[in-house]
Amino acid sequence: MSPAIVWFRHDLRLRDNPALKAALERGGPVVPVCVLDDVGERPWAGGAASKWWLHGSLEALDTSLRERGSRLVVRRGDSLVELMALISETGARAVYWNHRCEPSVVARDGRIQGELARAGIEAKNSNGAYLFEPNRIANREGRPFRMFTPFWRHCLELPIDRPVKSDARHIPAPRRWPASLDADQRGLLPRISWDGGLKETWVPGEKGAGRRLKRFVTNALEAYDRRRDLPAEDGSSQLSASLHFGELGPRQVWAAVAAVGRDMGVCPASEGARVFLSELGWREFAQHLLFHFPFTPQAPLRSEFAGFDWAKDPGDAQFTAWTLGLTGYPIVDAGMRQLWRLGWMHNRVRMIVASFLVKHLRLPWQKGAAWFWDTLVDAGLANNTLGWQWSAGCGADAAPYFRIFAPVVQGERFDPEGAYVRRWVPELNRVPATFIHHPWDAPPNVLASAGVRLGEDYPRPVVDHAAARVAALAAFKKLRMEANHP
Ligand SMILES: Cc1cc2nc3c(=O)[nH]c(=O)nc-3n(C[C@H](O)[C@H](O)[C@H](O)COP(=O)(O)OP(=O)(O)OC[C@H]3O[C@@H](n4cnc5c(N)ncnc54)[C@H](O)[C@@H]3O)c2cc1C
C-alpha cells in the first residue's frame, strides 16, 4: 500500500487527531510532516515567542512519534512545493490535514487541495481545532452572529463530538524516510537568548499540555469563576498556547471538564466549569468572526472606527514605554513585564493594558495587536483580533468606547494586596498596599521608606488618567458626530 502524508499544522498531537486517524485507517505507511512556510502564512507568520513554542512542540511531537516507530519530517518552504516533493520522494497517494481558519491559510489550503486533486492525490481535511465549525454556525437569518451570548446559546444546542481515537502504539513507517531539517536548522529559536523566562515556565508539547489540563481540572476548575480574574493567583488553565498549536483539541478539553460534571453533555456540575466552558465558547466565537470577517486583523469590524482620531506619538515614546512596562501605572507595567518574561499575560491584565494603549495613550489597537503577536506564546489571529477589537470598542460585542478602564481602580479591585504588581515590578515591592497601585499619591516619607524615588527608580505616570479620559471621550464624540454627519 502507498504511504499517506499527515500534514501537521496547528494540531501537534497524536490523540484526537482526525487527520492522523484517517491515515491510520487507510492502512499503509504514514509520513508525518510539518512544513515551515513563512511565505504562505503571510502576513501572519508566527512571531518570535510563538516560534519558540513551535520549536518545542515539534520536538515533543517527534519524540512521541519515535516512541511509535515513526518520526516527524520537517521541511521549510512553500507548502505545495514541499508536499509535492514529499509525494514524489515517498510515493504517497494521499495527504490528510486538519483545517485552520485564518483567511490566508484558508485560501492557500484551498489552492493546495485543488492542485493535489489535479495530480490524482487523495486530499482530505477534517476538523480538529473547533467544537463547532465556523462556517456551519449562523443565526436565524442565515447570517454570522455578532454577539457572544446568542452565539453561544445557539452552539450549546448542537451536539459536540467526542474526541476521536487516533493514537496508536505503532505507526507504520515508509520504506525510506525523506530528508528532514534537524532541530537546529529550523531557525525557530532566538539568536540572542531572551527566552530564559519561557524555558523556566513552559513545557510545550502534547504531554505537557495533558499534564497542565489535568492539574487545572483537579486544582482550579471548581473555583475558576471566582479566581479567574485575580492575576496573582493560579486560577486559569494557562492552556492557550497548547490550544493554539493544537497540542490539545477543544473536544479533549471539553470532555475533561464536562466529565467532572454530570456527564459528557453541557451540564457541568460547578459554576467554575460552566464559566470555563464559556471561555472555550469565546475561542469559538473568535474563530467564527475571523472566518466571516476576514479583514478584521487589520481593520475594525465597525467601519466607523476606521476614521478614529488616534494621538500622535513622536518617536514612539509612549508606545515604547508601554512595551517596556514603564508607563508609571503599576498594574499596566506588571502585565507588560509578565508578557515579556513569560510570553503570556493574564486575561484581566490583557484587557487593562489593551484599554490603556487605545484609550489612555490613544494609540491604534493594531500596534498593540502586533506587539502581542510577536511576544505571546499563544498569539492566535482569531483570539488576538477579538481581544484587541473588543478592547478598542470597534469589534463584535465590544466594550463600549466610553467605558474606560481606570488602571488604579482595576488594580485595586483585582490585585487588592498588590501581590501581582510586587512580583512583576519589584522596585515597588515595599510600597504599602494602600499606595501600590498609585505610588504618586504616597507621602514622601512612605516612598522613602519603601526605597522608591519616583521618576528615578520607577517612572511617574506617562499620562494623567483624568486628562486622558477626557481626551478619549472627546475623540469618541468626534467620531460619532462624523458618523452622524458624514
Ligand atoms: C487584548 C487581548 C489579546 C488577546 N490575545 C490572545 C491571543 O493572541 N491568543 C489567545 O489564545 N488568547 C488571547 N486573548 C484571550 C485571553 O486573554 C487568553 O486566551 C487567556 O488569557 C489565556 O489564558 P488561559 O489559557 O489561562 O485562559 P483560560 O481562562 O483558562 O481559558 C481557557 C481557554 O479559553 C480560551 N479563551 C479564554 N478567554 C478568551 C477570550 N477572551 N477570547 C478568546 N478565547 C479565550 C483560550 O483558548 C484559553 O486558553 C486575548 C485577550 C485580550 C484582551
Side-chain angles (χ1 to χ4, degrees), residues 144-480:
F145 285 93
R146 281 168 170 250
M147 299 295 280
F148 174 72
T149 304
F151 167 83
W152 194 228
R153 205 180 298 127
H154 173 85
C155 289
L156 288 178
E157 280 166 14
L158 303 172
I160 293 177
D161 291 336
R162 284 170 186 271
V164 302
K165 288 201 165 54
S166 58
D167 196 2
R169 268 201 213 140
H170 177 75
I171 299 178
R175 226 176 295 143
R176 249 201 2 254
W177 281 104
S180 172
L181 292 177
D182 289 338
D184 55 3
Q185 296 173 315
R186 294 174 194 163
L188 296 171
L189 291 180
R191 290 213 188 101
I192 48 165
S193 73
W194 49 260
D195 54 342
L198 275 63
K199 282 190 206 151
E200 282 163 22
T201 313
W202 305 108
V203 183
E206 184 172 9
K207 285 184 186 158
R211 282 197 295 271
R212 196 172 274 278
L213 173 61
K214 204 163 173 198
R215 208 167 51 232
F216 169 71
V217 169
T218 311
N219 301 332
L221 176 64
E222 209 263 327
Y224 177 80
D225 55 320
R226 302 185 296 283
R227 293 174 65 219
R228 62 185 283 263
D229 262 329
L230 306 174
E233 299 205 13
D234 212 2
S236 74
S237 71
Q238 301 191 2
L239 283 170
S240 44
S242 296
L243 278 162
H244 171 69
F245 284 105
E247 298 166 348
L248 269 177
R251 292 186 291 235
Q252 291 172 286
V253 180
W254 188 276
V257 171
V260 177
R262 275 179 240 157
D263 53 32
M264 285 284 295
V266 291
C267 303
S270 67
E271 184 58 8
R274 190 193 65 74
V275 175
F276 178 74
L277 292 177
S278 78
E279 293 307 318
L280 288 187
W282 276 96
R283 178 177 180 273
E284 299 286 319
F285 187 48
Q287 304 290 345
H288 178 77
L289 292 170
L290 180 62
F291 182 84
H292 290 288
F293 306 103
F295 57 87
T296 50
Q298 270 113 351
L301 180 67
R302 292 173 55 188
S303 56
E304 68 272 24
F305 274 82
F308 190 77
D309 186 16
W310 299 111
K312 305 274 172 293
D313 184 18
D316 257 358
Q318 298 213 325
F319 180 69
T320 306
W322 180 79
T323 61
L324 295 175
L326 292 173
T327 67
Y329 284 92
I331 190 82
V332 174
D333 294 341
M336 296 308 292
R337 296 187 201 183
Q338 180 180 36
L339 172 62
W340 183 251
R341 180 91 188 133
L342 303 190
W344 184 88
M345 195 197 300
H346 187 276
N347 179 60
R348 167 60 49 182
V349 191
R350 290 188 204 205
M351 293 195 285
I352 297 171
V353 304
S355 171
F356 188 83
L357 185 81
V358 294
K359 296 185 181 172
H360 284 77
L361 302 183
R362 261 190 318 120
L363 295 177
W365 59 269
Q366 293 94 332
K367 256 176 112 71
W371 181 256
F372 270 31
W373 186 258
D374 202 33
T375 51
L376 277 172
V377 288
D378 64 27
L381 199 56
N383 285 2
N384 202 35
T385 302
L386 173 71
W388 277 97
Q389 292 220 12
W390 186 91
S391 303
C394 60
D397 211 348
Y401 193 86
F402 54 80
R403 246 193 67 200
I404 294 175
F405 277 21
V408 174
V409 176
Q410 290 285 316
E412 288 179 338
R413 186 154 165 217
F414 296 108
D415 186 33
E417 297 305 317
Y420 179 73
V421 165
R422 285 177 220 285
R423 171 157 183 217
W424 294 108
V425 188
E427 60 269 38
L428 298 180
N429 195 15
R430 286 159 52 211
V431 174
T434 342
F435 297 110
I436 187 93
H437 292 291
H438 48 113
W440 58 87
D441 285 333
N445 64 326
V446 172
L447 284 181
S449 57
V452 179
R453 285 161 305 172
L454 274 190
E456 290 182 39
D457 305 308
Y458 184 70
R460 293 181 191 283
V462 286
V463 283
D464 172 66
H465 168 67
R469 188 169 183 281
V470 170
L473 292 176
F476 180 58
K477 198 167 163 198
K478 189 168 155 214
L479 183 74
R480 277 193 20 204

Side-chain angles (χ1 to χ4, degrees), residues 99-172:
H99 46 241
R100 291 171 45 186
C101 74
E102 298 91 329
S104 61
V105 175
V106 171
R108 180 199 66 187
D109 290 354
R111 282 194 302 275
I112 291 179
Q113 184 143 19
E115 290 297 330
L116 291 173
R118 264 188 288 284
I121 304 292
E122 185 195 347
K124 183 175 156 204
N125 66 79
S126 316
N127 170 32
Y130 316 111
L131 295 169
F132 310 98
E133 291 194 68
N135 57 341
R136 303 235 171 123
I137 305 289
N139 66 16
R140 271 200 217 113
E141 292 83 48
R143 286 206 287 270
F145 285 93
R146 281 168 170 250
M147 299 295 280
F148 174 72
T149 304
F151 167 83
W152 194 228
R153 205 180 298 127
H154 173 85
C155 289
L156 288 178
E157 280 166 14
L158 303 172
I160 293 177
D161 291 336
R162 284 170 186 271
V164 302
K165 288 201 165 54
S166 58
D167 196 2
R169 268 201 213 140
H170 177 75
I171 299 178

